Amino acid sequence: MFSLNSFTHHIFEHKTASFDPREGNKITFNHKKVPTEGTVVKRTGTRIRVEIEDGSLVWAEVKEVIKMDEVAPVDTAKQAEEAAAEAAKAAEEAAAAKKAEEEAAAAKAAEEAAAAAKKAEE
């Protein structure tokens, strides 16, 4: 025989699932009582912004999620390495641009000095 506590615990334990959707997760959720598939775009507390298959965005509650597909884990070391490589490339490009700018300024100064010397000879 079930006691009231064990009975209600049994019902709620099986009725609610513990999904924790994050941005990028593919989920199936109840949208207007219809199972709908979509991708989580944003999460704010217990609410999620979902892009459904037709491209529209809808808000849903986390408790409305029926199924969630796992997303491949993000390799943060690889991302950090790529970011460092991009930063190094940007620094090289900035240094090259600065050097070209300095050379152009030096050439302009030399031209002005030559023009001033030529004018002084006349």
Side-chain angles (χ1 to χ4, degrees), residues 9 19 42 44 47 54 56 69 73 75-76 82 100-101 103-104 109-110 113 119:
H9 176 72
F19 293 112
K42 180 180 181 179
T44 306
R47 302 203 20 97
D54 68 0
S56 61
D69 297 334
D75 186 357
T76 54
E82 290 172 354
E101 187 178 297
E103 288 174 355
K119 199 173 198 182

Side-chain angles (χ1 to χ4, degrees), residues 5 28 30 43 85 109:
N5 276 346
T28 302
N30 283 325
R43 176 165 178 177

Side-chain angles (χ1 to χ4, degrees), residues 10-95:
H10 177 75
I11 290 173
F12 289 116
E13 182 180 323
H14 293 288
K15 188 174 182 180
T16 60
S18 59
F19 293 112
D20 188 24
R22 299 285 177 209
E23 293 178 11
N25 286 123
K26 302 276 185 196
I27 62 168
T28 302
F29 66 104
N30 283 325
H31 178 61
K32 297 182 180 178
K33 299 183 181 179
V34 176
T36 308
E37 293 183 0
T39 304
V40 177
V41 178
K42 180 180 181 179
R43 176 165 178 177
T44 306
T46 61
R47 302 203 20 97
I48 50 176
R49 187 79 165 153
V50 183
E51 181 177 3
I52 56 179
E53 292 176 338
D54 68 0
S56 61
L57 296 172
V58 296
W59 283 102
E61 293 285 335
V62 172
K63 66 183 178 183
E64 296 171 340
V65 176
I66 302 168
K67 184 177 92 174
M68 185 171 82
D69 297 334
E70 292 297 322
V71 176
V74 178
D75 186 357
T76 54
K78 185 176 180 181
Q79 282 184 335
E81 185 179 305
E82 290 172 354
E86 288 179 17
K89 184 177 179 182
E92 286 177 12
E93 289 174 355

